[in-house]
C-alpha cells in the first residue's frame, strides 16, 4: 500500500483540502489574527497589526508546507491469525516504510476497526529516516462471531505547532473471521454403521494376485517398491499398484436456523449455543476421519461441491472445514417456517450419521424431523428447551410435557434425542447422547472399530 497527495482534483482542490485540515488551534490562531488586524486598523496600532499578521500567516504557512510535502511511504498490515474463535485474540502488525529520499516529520498512524473489536488503535511515529521503517502492533478480540473488516489504514500528517492535520488513507483492508467457540468432545459410541475409518469401511482396490492388480500412473513421491513392472511394460510408462484405500464414512450436521425456533439474542442465547454445538461437532467428526457436510434448514449444504456435498480427504478436507467454519461465523436466522427443505436434502440415499440441532419444534416440524431419520446409519438430535432458555432463573423439576412429547416422537422414529437446557456443557450432552442409545447399532467416533 502507498499513500500520497490525492490526485485527480487539481491544485486548487488540494489547497482547499489542506485548509480543511486546520485544527481547532489553527482556526483559533487564524480567527485571532484576523480580529487583531481589524482592531489594529480601527485603533491605528501598528504593533497590534504585526501580531495579527503573524497569527494569520503562521497557520497558512503550515497549510502550504504540508500541502507541498511529498512524503512517499508504504504501509502494510499482517493479521495473525485471520480466523479465531469468539473470545480469542488476534494480533495485527502494522509496518510503515519511508521509500522517499526525504525524512518524514511527525506521523500519526490510525487503523479503522469495528467497535466490537475494541477501541480504534492510534500510534505516533517519530521522524522516519529515508529508507527507514517503523513497526507497531495491537490486538483485537470479539465475543461475537462474524466477519470484521480491518482498515483502511490512515496516516495523519501534522505540523510541529499542531495547527494543521492532513489525513492520507491507504486503499486495502483485511478481514478477521471470528468463528464460533468450539468445545472438545469425548469419544463416545453413537448409533450408526461404522467409524470414520475402520476395517468395515475399507474398499479393496487391489485384489490378490499380480494379474488382478488394478494399477495407476506413477505420481511424484510414490514408493518405487510399488511399481508394477508388468503394467509398466504394457503401457510404456511407470505404473504402481493401488493400495487399499479407506472409505470415509459420511456424517451430516444439520443446524436449524429458523427465526421462530429461538428466543433471545447475544452470545449466551440458545441460537448461539446451537451454532457453537454444530461447530464443535464438525471439528470432532473431521478429526475422527468422517466425510462431513453442514446443512441448514434452508437446504443449503456446505461444501456444495464434492462427493454429494461432503468433504473429501487431504487438503480438500481442510479447505472444506474452513469453509464450513466461515459459514457458521456469519450464519443468521432464516425466515423459513419449516424443515421441509432440509428434509428433502437428507431423505435421499444413505448418508451415514446425522447430527441435528433443533430449536423449538411444533407437531408439524416434529413429524418432519422424524421422517429425516430415514435410512441414516444413525441420528442424534439436540433439541433446545426454549422455555428454560427464556427464563434461566426458573429451575424446572423435569422436562416440560410438550418437550418430552417431542423427544418421545423423535425417539420412536429412531432418533437419539437429547433435551438442551441452559448452562449445560455440550460435552456432557454428547456423553448423554452416547449413553442414551442402547439397542441401536453402535459407532465409535474415537476412530476405532466397535
Amino acid at each position: 500500500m502507498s499513500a500520497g497527495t490525492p490526485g485527480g482534483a487539481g491544485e486548487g482542490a488540494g489547497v482547499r483540502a489542506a485548509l480543511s485540515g486546520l485544527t481547532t488551534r489553527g482556526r483559533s490562531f487564524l480567527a485571532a489574527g484576523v480580529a487583531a488586524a481589524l482592531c489594529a486598523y480601527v485603533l491605528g496600532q501598528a504593533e497590534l497589526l504585526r501580531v495579527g499578521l503573524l497569527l494569520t500567516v503562521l497557520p497558512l504557512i503550515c497549510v502550504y508546507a504540508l500541502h507541498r510535502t511529498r512524503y512517499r511511504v508504504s504501509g502494510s498490515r499482517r493479521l495473525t491469525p485471520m480466523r479465531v474463535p469468539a473470545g480469542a485474540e488476534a494480533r495485527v502488525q502494522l509496518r510503515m516504510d519511508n521509500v522517499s529520499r526525504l525524512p518524514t516529520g511527525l506521523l500519526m498512524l490510525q487503523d479503522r476497526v469495528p467497535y466490537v473489536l475494541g477501541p480504534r488503535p492510534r500510534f505516533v511515529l517519530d521522524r522516519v529516516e529515508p529508507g527507514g521503517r517503523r513497526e507497531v502492533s495491537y490486538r483485537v478480540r470479539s465475543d461475537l462471531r462474524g466477519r470484521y473488516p480491518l482498515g483502511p489504514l490512515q496516516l495523519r500528517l501534522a505540523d510541529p505547532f499542531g495547527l494543521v492535520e492532513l489525513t492520507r488513507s491507504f486503499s486495502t483492508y483485511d478481514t478477521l473471521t471470528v468463528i464460533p467457540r468450539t468445545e472438545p468432545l469425548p469419544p463416545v459410541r453413537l448409533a450408526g454403521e461404522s467409524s470414520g475409518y475402520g476395517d468395515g469401511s475399507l474398499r479393496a482396490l487391489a485384489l490378490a494376485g499380480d494379474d488382478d492388480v488394478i494399477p495407476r500412473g506413477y505420481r511424484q513421491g510414490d514408493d518405487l517398491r510399488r511399481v508394477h513392472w508388468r503394467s509398466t511394460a504394457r503401457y510404456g510408462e511407470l505404473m504402481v499398484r493401488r493400495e487399499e484405500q479407506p472409505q470415509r464414512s459420511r456424517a451430516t450436521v444439520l443446524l436449524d436456523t429458523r427465526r421462530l425456533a429461538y428466543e433471545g439474542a447475544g452470545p449466551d442465547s440458545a441460537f448461539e449455543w446451537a451454532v457453537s454445538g454444530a461447530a464443535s461437532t464438525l471439528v470432532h467428526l473431521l478429526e475422527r476421519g468422517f466425510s462431513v457436510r453442514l446443512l441448514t434448514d434452508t437446504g443449503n449444504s456446505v461444501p456444495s461441491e464434492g462427493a454429494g456435498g461432503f468433504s473429501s480427504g487431504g487438503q480438500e478436507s481442510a479447505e472444506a472445514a474452513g469453509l464450513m467454519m466461515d459459514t457458521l461465523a456469519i450464519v443468521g436466522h432464516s425466515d423459513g417456517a419449516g424443515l421441509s427443505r432440509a428434509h428433502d436434502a437428507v431423505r435421499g440415499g444413505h448418508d451415514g450419521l446425522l447430527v441435528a440441532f433443533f430449536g423449538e419444534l411444533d407437531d408439524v416440524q416434529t413429524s418432519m424431523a422424524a421422517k429425516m431419520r430415514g435410512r441414516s446409519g444413525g441420528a442424534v438430535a439436540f433439541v433446545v428447551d426454549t422455555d428454560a432458555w427464556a427464563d434461566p432463573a426458573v429451575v424446572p423439576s423435569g422436562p416440560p410435557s410438550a418437550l418430552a412429547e417431542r423427544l418421545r416422537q423423535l425417539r420412536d422414529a429412531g432418533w437419539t434425542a437429547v433435551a438442551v437446557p441452559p448452562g449445560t456443557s455440550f460435552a456432557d450432552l454428547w456423553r448423554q447422547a452416547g449413553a442414551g442409545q442402547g439397542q441401536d447399532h453402535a459407532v465409535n467416533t474415537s476412530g476405532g472399530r466397535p
Side-chain angles (χ1 to χ4, degrees):
M1 300 182 294
S2 63
T5 303
E11 185 72 15
V15 173
R16 288 193 297 270
L19 286 173
S20 66
L22 283 170
T23 62
T24 302
R25 181 185 300 177
R27 296 176 187 273
S28 300
F29 266 59
L30 193 60
V34 173
L38 291 176
C39 292
Y41 177 77
V42 173
L43 301 176
Q45 297 290 332
E47 293 79 4
L48 184 58
L49 179 60
R50 297 189 186 96
V51 173
L53 291 176
L54 175 63
L55 294 177
T56 303
V57 171
L58 182 59
L60 298 179
I61 293 177
C62 292
V63 167
Y64 180 78
L66 280 184
H67 170 65
R68 300 299 300 176
T69 298
R70 291 296 184 265
Y71 294 147
R72 293 183 59 204
V73 295
S74 65
S76 63
R77 181 191 303 103
R78 184 171 62 186
L79 177 60
T80 309
M82 300 187 68
R83 182 188 292 118
V84 296
E89 289 187 344
R91 184 170 181 263
V92 184
Q93 185 172 1
L94 304 178
R95 171 177 164 178
M96 300 296 301
D97 294 272
N98 183 10
V99 297
S100 66
R101 298 180 179 179
L102 298 175
T104 68
L106 187 67
L107 302 178
M108 289 179 286
L109 195 62
Q110 175 178 279
D111 206 8
R112 298 185 62 181
V113 300
Y115 72 95
V116 296
L117 298 183
R120 180 171 296 182
R122 293 181 174 89
F123 305 94
V124 177
L125 304 181
D126 293 331
R127 177 180 178 273
V128 182
E129 65 279 3
R133 71 175 59 169
R134 297 291 186 272
E135 292 185 358
V136 294
S137 64
Y138 64 95
R139 295 183 179 274
V140 291
R141 68 181 298 272
S142 173
D143 292 327
L144 299 175
R145 57 185 177 84
R147 292 173 61 89
Y148 302 102
L150 301 179
L153 192 63
Q154 293 181 333
L155 190 65
R156 301 177 67 185
L157 310 177
D159 67 287
F161 303 103
L163 302 179
V164 184
E165 289 183 358
L166 298 182
T167 301
R168 300 289 186 261
S169 295
F170 296 85
S171 58
T172 60
Y173 65 92
D174 295 292
T175 301
L176 173 66
T177 302
V178 181
I179 61 177
R181 293 185 179 93
T182 57
E183 187 174 349
L185 301 180
V188 299
R189 301 170 65 88
L190 299 177
E193 55 179 10
S194 62
S195 59
Y197 287 122
D199 297 338
S201 60
L202 290 179
R203 179 180 59 193
L205 295 180
L207 305 178
D210 288 344
D211 294 335
D212 295 329
V213 170
I214 304 176
R216 63 166 175 81
Y218 175 82
R219 299 171 185 168
Q220 186 176 2
D222 285 338
D223 190 346
L224 291 178
R225 290 174 295 182
R226 293 173 50 200
V227 174
H228 191 253
W229 298 108
R230 182 176 300 178
S231 299
T232 298
R234 179 184 303 173
Y235 295 105
E237 61 176 331
L238 278 179
M239 305 294 290
V240 297
R241 295 182 179 89
R242 290 180 184 265
E243 294 180 344
E244 290 188 344
Q245 299 180 1
Q247 177 74 32
R248 294 164 61 92
S249 294
R250 293 180 172 183
T252 297
V253 177
L254 172 61
L255 176 62
D256 180 10
T257 64
R258 295 173 298 129
R259 187 180 303 275
L260 299 176
Y262 300 93
E263 294 184 4
D268 299 325
S269 64
F271 179 68
E272 292 301 323
W273 183 95
V275 174
S276 178
S280 301
T281 303
L282 287 170
V283 172
H284 178 77
L285 294 177
L286 285 170
E287 289 176 349
R288 268 73 186 166
F290 280 78
S291 181
V292 185
R293 69 171 174 174
L294 172 65
L295 183 67
T296 66
D297 59 292
T298 61
N300 296 328
S301 176
V302 181
S304 58
E305 300 178 356
F310 290 85
S311 62
S312 55
Q315 182 65 26
E316 294 181 0
S317 180
E319 294 176 357
L323 181 59
M324 287 185 281
M325 297 304 289
D326 289 347
T327 301
L328 289 177
I330 60 175
V331 68
H333 289 294
S334 68
D335 295 329
L339 300 172
S340 58
R341 284 175 288 183
H343 170 263
D344 294 338
V346 301
R347 69 178 180 179
H350 186 81
D351 289 338
L353 181 64
L354 174 61
V355 182
F357 295 84
F358 292 121
E360 185 176 9
L361 298 173
D362 55 20
D363 293 337
V364 176
Q365 304 311 318
T366 302
S367 176
M368 188 68 64
K371 295 178 182 178
M372 293 183 192
R373 175 62 175 86
R375 299 171 55 192
S376 297
V380 182
F382 296 95
V383 185
V384 172
D385 185 350
T386 53
D387 293 336
W389 281 88
D391 191 359
V394 177
V395 180
S397 58
S401 57
L403 177 59
E405 177 61 22
R406 307 286 184 250
L407 297 177
R408 185 194 63 79
Q409 294 179 29
L410 292 176
R411 290 165 183 161
D412 290 344
W415 287 83
T416 299
V418 179
V420 179
T424 304
S425 168
F426 182 50
D428 295 337
L429 296 177
W430 188 258
R431 292 190 186 94
Q432 182 180 343
Q437 56 85 34
Q439 67 276 13
D440 298 329
H441 298 289
V443 53
N444 188 351
T445 62
S446 64
R449 184 173 175 83

